[in-house]
Amino acid sequence: MISASGLRPGRIFSKRRGFLMIGSLMMCVSAVVLLFGTLGGIAMGIQQDFTLAPAHPHLNLVGGVLLFLFGLYYHLIPAAGTTMLARIQGWTHILGAVLFPGGVAVVLLKGPSFEIAPVGRLIDGGRVHGPVCPDRVPHLARLIKSSYLPL
């Protein structure tokens, strides 16, 4: 079966265009990232040192699961994976899947001085430390009280 783009589903390389299909690349990278995330979780459990526990699910979910799902979509629908936008999205996601959990790990190990853009401090002018809750952020509390959604 050949799709409208002339590519066969299930092939990693396109004979006609000579490039690595982004869907297959994303699925391969996700398998490697998920392997490292799983091994990291096992190592944390064996050592009973859960310092990097917040970085572990980010690596597995963003780097493993989401990367695989996007890659599976591009693999099943090859015409969508041949566009320049798909390649940009794929490479950006691969880069982010490695850098994001790595950044979380650096902040956990080296301290908050390594934060580039601390979102919590942007919300309330530097007074929020920890999870954002309505009691700490007055405009958020007013917004929640004025909403029609039951909490």
Side-chain angles (χ1 to χ4, degrees):
M1 178 178 112
I2 296 179
S3 66
S5 66
L7 301 175
R8 290 186 183 142
R11 297 189 64 126
I12 295 177
F13 288 96
S14 166
K15 288 183 180 178
R16 195 173 79 177
R17 298 185 189 209
F19 63 87
L20 184 65
M21 291 180 60
I22 195 67
S24 299
L25 176 67
M26 291 172 81
M27 288 192 300
C28 291
V29 170
S30 75
V32 172
V33 169
L34 196 57
L35 177 68
F36 279 112
T38 303
L39 291 175
I42 292 170
M44 280 191 300
I46 290 171
Q47 296 173 354
Q48 293 294 308
D49 180 16
F50 299 102
T51 306
L52 295 176
H56 169 70
H58 287 94
L59 183 63
N60 284 340
L61 293 176
V62 174
V65 176
L66 286 178
L67 193 59
F68 184 83
L69 289 175
F70 284 128
L72 183 64
Y73 173 77
Y74 290 139
H75 187 74
L76 293 176
I77 304 173
T82 59
T83 64
M84 180 57 76
L85 186 61
R87 284 183 283 212
I88 291 171
Q89 187 266 335
W91 282 107
T92 305
H93 193 121
I94 289 170
L95 185 66
V98 174
L99 291 180
F100 178 56
V104 171
V106 167
V107 169
L108 290 170
L109 293 174
K110 302 292 183 181
S113 63
F114 283 86
E115 292 178 8
I116 294 173
V119 176
R121 293 189 189 137
L122 295 175
I123 291 174
D124 197 24
R127 292 187 300 252
V128 175
H129 301 286
V132 176
C133 61
D135 298 336
R136 289 185 167 172
V137 186
H139 62 278
L140 185 60
R142 284 193 303 273
L143 181 69
I144 291 174
K145 288 178 184 174
S146 66
S147 69
Y148 294 103
L149 298 174
L151 297 177

